[in-house]
Amino acid sequence: MAHIIVLGNEKGGSGKSTTSMHLFAALARCGHQVGVIDLDLRQKSFFRYLENREAFINRTGTKLPMPVRHVLEYSTFDSVAAAQAEEEARFSVALNRLDETCSYILIDCPGSHTRYAQMAHAAADTLITPMNDSLIDFDLLARLNPETGKVLGPSVYAEMVWKARQLRATAGLKPVDWVVLRNRIATLNARNKRRVGSALTELSKRIGFRVIPGFGERVVFREMFLSGLTLLDLKDTGDISLNISNLAARQEVREVVKSLNLPDVSI
Amino acid sequence: MAHIIVLGNEKGGSGKSTTSMHLFAALARCGHQVGVIDLDLRQKSFFRYLENREAFINRTGTKLPMPVRHVLEYSTFDSVAAAQAEEEARFSVALNRLDETCSYILIDCPGSHTRYAQMAHAAADTLITPMNDSLIDFDLLARLNPETGKVLGPSVYAEMVWKARQLRATAGLKPVDWVVLRNRIATLNARNKRRVGSALTELSKRIGFRVIPGFGERVVFREMFLSGLTLLDLKDTGDISLNISNLAARQEVREVVKSLNLPDVSI
Ligand SMILES: Nc1ncnc2c1ncn2[C@@H]1O[C@H](COP(=O)(O)OP(=O)(O)OP(=O)(O)O)[C@@H](O)[C@H]1O
Ligand SMILES: Nc1ncnc2c1ncn2[C@@H]1O[C@H](COP(=O)(O)OP(=O)(O)OP(=O)(O)O)[C@@H](O)[C@H]1O
Ligand SMILES: [Mg+2]
Ligand SMILES: [Mg+2]
C-alpha cells in the first residue's frame, strides 16, 4: 500500500505546491516511484511545474526522474449528492491506479475548500501543512486573543482537518501524522518568528500536530519553475552553482525529509 | 459615486488582504470614509485584521480610523441560476449601501474563483493585482514558453479579468485601471527579479495592465495583525520605532498610493 502524503492548507500561498515539487524530487532520488495528483484544478501550479520539467527533459535529453501523474476532473452533475458520489468514485480510482506502480502518492491541495481536498485529508497517512511565518497564516489554524496571544479556539482549516480525522477513524485507518512545516522563514526579525513559534507550540499540543523547521525564504525555491528543475536536480544538469544559499537550501530539504520519518526513506 | 478598488488575484498568498489593509489605512489618513467588503468568506483575513483593530481601539481607547464593513453571505439556493441571481442582488445592495456614506469602496477577493469575485472584478474602477516576484505566480496570468521565456497565451486569471472587462463594457462603464503590484520583493537576487519584470513588461502590453513597484518582503507588513495596526498607524499609537525598514516601508506605501492615481487623494 503506497504511503499517501497530502500537502494541505486552505491559506493561499503557504507553499503547498513548492513543497510538493521538492518532496517529489527528494523521494524520487531515494529511488521511489512517486504518484502525484494536483487537486488545484484551476491553477495546477504543481502539474505546470512538472509539464515544464517534461519539456526540459525532451528538449535537452537530460535524464531526470518524473512522477506518475493522475489527472482528476470535477463532476459536472447538477445535484450536489450525485457530484459528491462521482468525485468519491474518481478519487478512489485515482488512488488505486497509482498504488499499482508507486510506493508514494503525493497530493497537492488547493488554497480553498473543495470536496476532493476533504477526501485527500481523510486519505493522508502524512499530512503536511506548510505555512508562512505570519500570524495572518496562523489565523486559519486558530484564533488568538489579540491582547494576550493565547489560543481562543480552532479556525476553519483546523476544523476541516478534525473532520477528516474523524472520517479516517471511522474508516478504521491508523491516525494521520500531521506535520506543520514553517516556510519562507525570514533571516532577520527574531521577534515575529518567536511569536509565531510559541503560538504553534501551544496549539500543537491542543489539536495534535507536530512542528518541523522548514524552508527559509530563498529565491532558489522558486527561480527554476520554467525549467521544471529543483535544486536537488542540479547535479544531473551539471549546474554546480554551490553558493551558500543553495547549500543551506539543500540542507533544509534534507532535514525536512528526515523529520517526516517516512517509510523506506533514508537521507 | 464611490470609487471602487478591487484587490484580485486567484493565486493564493499574493498579498491581496495585506494590500487591502494598508490601502484602507492610507485612504483613511487622507480623510476618506472607506467602505470594505471581504469576499474571502471562509478565511476573512482582511475582516479578521479589522476585528483585531476594533478590539485594540476598545481596550486602549486609542483613536484610529475604522472602515464601514459590509458582510456578504453565499446564497444557499440549490439551483445555480437562483443562487447567482440572489448573490447579484446582494452584491448590488452592498455597493449601494456603502456608496451612501463612503467615497471609496475596497473589495478584497479570495484566492479562488467565486461568483462574488467575478462580480467585483466587473465593478472595479481600479483593479489591483498583487503578485509575488515569482514565475509560479506569473503562470496564473500567462503561460511562458519554458525554452524562450516568451508569452504563449493568457492563463486562467487573465481570462477571468478579460471576461469581467467585457461585462463592464456591456454595462457601459468606463474602462478599469488594471494595476499589477509587485509584492514581497526580495532584497537580493536581481536575476529572478529581472526575469519576472521583463515577463510582466511584455505581458502588460498584450493584455492591458500597468505594473507598479510595490512592497518589499518586510516583517512590518505582517507583524501587527493581532493589534490590527499598520505601520501607518504608529504615529497615533505613540510607537515611533523608526528603523530603516519601517521608513522604507512607509515610502513604499506612499509610492503605491501615488501611482494608483486615485481621485481626491494627495500623498
Ligand atoms: N521557501 C520559499 N522561498 C521562496 N519563495 C517561496 C518559498 N516557498 C514558496 N515560495 C513562493 O511563494 C509563492 C507561493 O508558493 P506556492 O505556490 O508553493 O504556495 P501554495 O500554497 O501552493 O499556493 P496556492 O494556495 O495558490 O496553491 C510562490 O510564488 C512560490 O514560488
Ligand atoms: N510585503 C510583505 N512582506 C512580508 N510579508 C507579507 C507581505 N505581503 C504579504 N505578506 C504575508 O504573506 C502572506 C500572504 O499574504 P496575504 O494573506 O495578504 O495574501 P492573500 O493574497 O490575501 O492570500 P489569500 O489568497 O489566502 O487570500 C501572509 O502571511 C502575509 O502576512
Ligand atoms: Mg498551490
Ligand atoms: Mg486574502
Side-chain angles (χ1 to χ4, degrees):
Chain A
M1 192 64 223
H3 187 95
I4 299 173
I5 300 175
V6 171
L7 279 303
N9 192 342
E10 230 173 295
K11 183 68 181 93
S14 47
K16 301 176 287 294
S17 303
T18 298
T19 307
S20 298
M21 189 65 198
H22 288 79
L23 206 44
F24 151 68
L27 289 171
R29 294 190 164 276
C30 291
H32 288 280
Q33 171 92 295
V34 184
V36 291
I37 303 174
D38 190 339
L39 292 185
D40 198 333
L41 301 193
R42 260 178 81 89
Q43 302 181 20
K44 301 185 171 100
S45 303
F46 182 33
F47 271 22
R48 289 279 303 122
Y49 206 137
L50 292 167
E51 268 177 43
N52 290 342
R53 186 182 184 82
E54 188 169 44
F56 180 87
I57 291 168
N58 291 337
R59 76 171 172 272
T60 63
T62 315
K63 287 188 72 54
L64 287 171
M66 278 291 291
V68 181
R69 284 165 286 185
H70 187 105
V71 178
L72 279 176
E73 308 284 350
Y74 288 130
S75 165
T76 48
F77 280 134
D78 225 18
S79 134
V80 165
Q84 171 128 5
E86 178 165 59
E87 285 173 8
E88 276 167 8
R90 289 177 179 184
F91 189 72
S92 171
V93 163
L95 294 186
N96 288 327
R97 226 172 252 176
L98 290 175
D99 187 48
E100 286 167 11
T101 57
C102 305
S103 44
Y104 274 90
I105 297 174
L106 270 177
I107 307 177
D108 186 18
C109 291
S112 56
H113 185 42
T114 67
R115 280 186 297 254
Y116 276 138
Q118 182 81 63
M119 292 171 215
H121 279 69
D125 296 312
T126 299
L127 169 64
I128 302 173
T129 295
M131 60 177 279
N132 283 266
D133 244 26
S134 168
L135 291 172
I136 288 180
D137 278 44
F138 186 90
D139 195 55
L140 265 84
L141 284 175
R143 277 162 306 111
L144 297 178
N145 179 317
E147 186 175 9
T148 64
K150 288 277 162 272
V151 173
L152 288 175
S155 296
V156 75
Y157 179 67
E159 290 174 335
M160 191 272 234
V161 174
W162 188 74
K163 181 168 154 199
R165 281 171 126 158
Q166 288 194 301
L167 290 168
R168 193 171 170 79
T170 312
L173 297 162
K174 64 177 179 38
V176 65
D177 179 18
W178 187 12
V179 179
V180 169
L181 182 158
R182 298 174 74 168
N183 187 34
R184 302 191 75 171
I185 300 165
T187 23
L188 310 161
N189 216 292
R191 180 182 58 192
N192 181 67
K193 185 173 179 182
R194 268 199 314 272
R195 290 178 81 186
V196 178
S198 51
L200 282 173
T201 306
E202 187 194 344
L203 187 66
S204 64
K205 303 186 192 112
R206 279 174 63 148
I207 67 178
F209 59 78
R210 58 191 180 95
V211 187
I212 64 175
F215 306 118
E217 168 74 25
R218 301 179 189 284
V219 168
V220 71
F221 283 117
R222 64 175 188 250
E223 64 177 339
M224 288 182 277
F225 173 72
L226 284 193
S227 59
L229 301 174
T230 69
L231 58 105
L232 302 179
D233 301 306
L234 296 181
K235 297 204 197 92
D236 291 343
T237 60
D239 186 344
I240 37 167
S241 50
L242 289 174
N243 61 50
I244 291 183
S245 184
N246 288 7
L247 287 172
R250 215 182 265 276
Q251 191 55 24
E252 287 175 345
V253 176
R254 213 168 279 144
E255 287 303 313
V256 164
V257 176
K258 256 179 37 200
S259 16
L260 290 175
N261 299 326
L262 299 168
D264 308 315
V265 168
S266 50
I267 276 273
Chain B
M1 191 67 222
H3 187 96
I4 299 173
I5 301 175
V6 172
L7 280 302
N9 193 342
E10 230 174 295
K11 184 69 181 89
S14 48
K16 299 176 287 295
S17 302
T18 297
T19 306
S20 298
M21 188 65 198
H22 288 80
L23 205 44
F24 151 68
L27 290 171
R29 295 191 162 276
C30 291
H32 288 282
Q33 171 92 298
V34 185
V36 294
I37 303 174
D38 190 340
L39 293 185
D40 198 333
L41 301 193
R42 258 178 82 90
Q43 302 181 18
K44 300 186 171 102
S45 303
F46 182 33
F47 271 23
R48 290 278 303 122
Y49 206 137
L50 292 167
E51 268 176 43
N52 290 342
R53 185 181 185 84
E54 187 168 45
F56 179 86
I57 291 169
N58 291 338
R59 77 171 171 273
T60 64
T62 314
K63 286 188 74 55
L64 286 171
M66 278 293 290
V68 181
R69 283 165 286 184
H70 188 105
V71 178
L72 279 176
E73 308 284 350
Y74 287 130
S75 165
T76 48
F77 281 132
D78 226 21
S79 134
V80 164
Q84 170 129 6
E86 178 164 60
E87 285 173 8
E88 277 169 5
R90 288 178 180 183
F91 189 72
S92 171
V93 163
L95 293 188
N96 288 328
R97 226 172 253 174
L98 290 175
D99 188 47
E100 287 168 12
T101 58
C102 305
S103 46
Y104 274 91
I105 298 175
L106 271 176
I107 308 178
D108 186 18
C109 290
S112 57
H113 186 42
T114 67
R115 281 188 295 253
Y116 277 138
Q118 182 81 63
M119 292 171 214
H121 279 68
D125 297 311
T126 300
L127 169 64
I128 303 173
T129 295
M131 59 176 278
N132 282 267
D133 244 27
S134 168
L135 290 173
I136 288 180
D137 278 44
F138 186 90
D139 196 58
L140 265 82
L141 284 175
R143 276 162 306 111
L144 297 177
N145 179 318
E147 186 175 8
T148 64
K150 289 277 161 270
V151 173
L152 288 175
S155 298
V156 75
Y157 179 66
E159 290 173 336
M160 191 273 233
V161 174
W162 188 74
K163 181 168 155 199
R165 282 171 126 158
Q166 288 194 302
L167 290 168
R168 191 169 170 79
T170 311
L173 298 162
K174 64 178 181 31
V176 65
D177 180 17
W178 187 12
V179 179
V180 170
L181 183 159
R182 297 174 76 169
N183 187 33
R184 302 192 74 172
I185 299 166
T187 25
L188 310 161
N189 216 292
R191 180 181 58 192
N192 181 66
K193 184 173 178 183
R194 269 200 314 272
R195 290 178 84 186
V196 177
S198 52
L200 281 173
T201 305
E202 186 194 345
L203 187 64
S204 63
K205 303 187 191 110
R206 279 173 63 146
I207 66 178
F209 58 78
R210 57 191 181 95
V211 186
I212 65 175
F215 306 118
E217 167 73 23
R218 302 179 188 282
V219 167
V220 71
F221 283 116
R222 63 178 188 245
E223 64 178 334
M224 288 183 276
F225 174 71
L226 284 194
S227 60
L229 302 174
T230 69
L231 58 104
L232 303 178
D233 302 305
L234 296 180
K235 297 206 197 89
D236 293 343
T237 59
D239 186 344
I240 39 169
S241 51
L242 289 175
N243 61 50
I244 291 184
S245 184
N246 287 7
L247 287 172
R250 217 183 262 278
Q251 191 56 24
E252 287 176 345
V253 175
R254 215 168 278 144
E255 287 303 314
V256 165
V257 175
K258 258 186 27 208
S259 16
L260 291 175
N261 297 327
L262 298 169
D264 308 315
V265 168
S266 50
I267 277 272

